[in-house]
Every structure is written in C-alpha cells, then in structure tokens.
C-alpha cells in the first residue's frame, strides 16, 4: 500500500499542477533557464519526498516519520535566509532551534535502535530534505516564472518521478499491494488532501 500511495500521490499532484498551469495566465519564460530548471527540480523533489515519506511509514511509526518530515519548513527558512536575503525575528530563531532539537532527539534516541527504526529515520530525513528544498526552489523561482509557468514545470517534475518510479516498480516485479475497500477510501482521501495542501502551499 505505501508504494501505491506514493505512486498515486505523485501522479495526482502532478496532474493537479498541470491543470492549474493550463488554466492560469502564463507569462513568457525568462531568458535565464535556471529558473525553469529549478521549478522542474522542485517538482521532482516534491514527488521524491512523498516516496520517502510513504516508505518511511511502511517501516516506522507516525511519531518518527511524521515529525521529522513535517520539520521541512525549517530547511526552507534557513535556505531563504542564506540565499534569498530574508530575515528572522528572535522568536522565529528560537522556534527553529526547538525544531532542530526535536529532530535530533528522534534521530539519536537510544535503546530502540532496530534496523527498521533506523531505516524509518533515514527515509524521514530524505523527505525532510526533499520537501525543504522543494519549497525553497519554488520560492526562488516563482517571481521570475509566474504562477502558470511554475505550475506547469512543477507538473513536469512530478510526472517525471511518477513515470520513473512506475518503471522501477514494474522492473522489480514485486508482489502487488492487496486492495481493500478501507485502504482504497483512506488512500483516496489522502490523495485529495495531499493535492489540495500542496497546491495551496505553492500558491501561498
């Protein structure tokens, strides 16, 4: 089920960004191709982050995977301050420090160092890095590209990851996820919620 969720989420989110990009007024692409490349890379990283997240959920707990991956805005903020000239207040710096402490506590906890737990931490850090970079690249390129072009390029990145992951799954020829009505309903809700939140966050 986690593999199907990862594949379905990247596909649906890519299609959602593509549809919005076709509906929204688009401005000409800038002469510097770096912005377009950054947007495509952002889409790919967004999709990869989902794959790490769902694989982490397969082997770990929500407390570990959810908390570490949800800390990704911290990376976005740090990169924005370092490279985009943004600034932070004292309380914001304190919040980042507390988030770092929380992530460190989860990653170095002793006495429960099972292989599956260590793998869950590694996968969670993967989604943390991918989603943090995703948001930073979106922020860095949105002004130059405009919303419509940005969404189309994000869609290209998402759908590229979807195609690559689907090809890898087919090549691996692993066992199929057993479908049930409960997992289907939960999966459908997750697809819709994830698509809406990602699009809303990008627009914001």
């Amino acid at each position: 089920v986690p593999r199907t969720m990862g594949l379905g989420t990247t596909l649906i989110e890519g299609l959602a960004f593509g549809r919005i990009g076709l509906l929204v007024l688009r401005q000409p692409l800038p002469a510097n191709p770096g912005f377009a490349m950054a947007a495509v890379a952002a889409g790919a990283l967004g999709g990869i982050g989902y794959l790490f997240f769902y694989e982490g959920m397969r082997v770990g707990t929500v407390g570990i995977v959810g908390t570490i991956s949800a800390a990704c805005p911290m990376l976005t903020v740090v990169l924005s301050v370092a490279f985009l000239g943004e600034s932070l207040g004292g309380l914001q710096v304190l919040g980042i420090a507390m988030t770092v402490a929380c992530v460190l506590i989860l990653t170095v906890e002793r006495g429960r160092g099972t292989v599956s737990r260590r793998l869950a931490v590694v996968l969670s850090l993967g989604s943390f890095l991918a989603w943090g970079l995703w948001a930073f690249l979106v922020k860095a390129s949105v002004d130059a590209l405009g919303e419509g072009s940005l969404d189309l390029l994000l869609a290209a990145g998402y759908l590229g990851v979807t195609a690559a992951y689907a090809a890898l799954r087919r090549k691996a020829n692993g066992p199929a996820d057993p479908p049930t009505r409960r997992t289907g309903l939960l999966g459908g809700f997750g697809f819709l919620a994830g698509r809406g939140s990602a699009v809303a966050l990008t627009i914001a």
Side-chain angles (χ1 to χ4, degrees), residues 70-107:
C72 61
M74 178 191 69
L75 177 60
T76 306
V77 170
V78 171
L79 291 174
S80 297
V81 170
F83 297 103
L84 300 181
E86 297 192 2
S87 60
L88 295 174
L91 288 177
Q92 293 170 313
V93 172
L94 178 61
I96 289 177
M98 294 177 68
T99 303
V100 171
C102 178
V103 171
L104 289 176
I105 289 171
L106 288 172
T107 57

Side-chain angles (χ1 to χ4, degrees), residues 22-76:
L22 292 174
L23 294 175
V24 175
L25 181 65
R26 295 181 300 280
Q27 63 189 47
L29 292 177
N32 184 354
F35 293 108
M37 295 171 62
V40 174
L45 286 167
I48 291 170
Y50 277 116
L51 301 183
F52 279 130
F53 176 79
Y54 286 118
E55 286 295 330
M57 283 292 195
R58 185 174 64 87
V59 297
T61 64
V62 176
I64 292 175
V65 180
T67 303
I68 294 176
S69 59
C72 61
M74 178 191 69
L75 177 60
T76 306

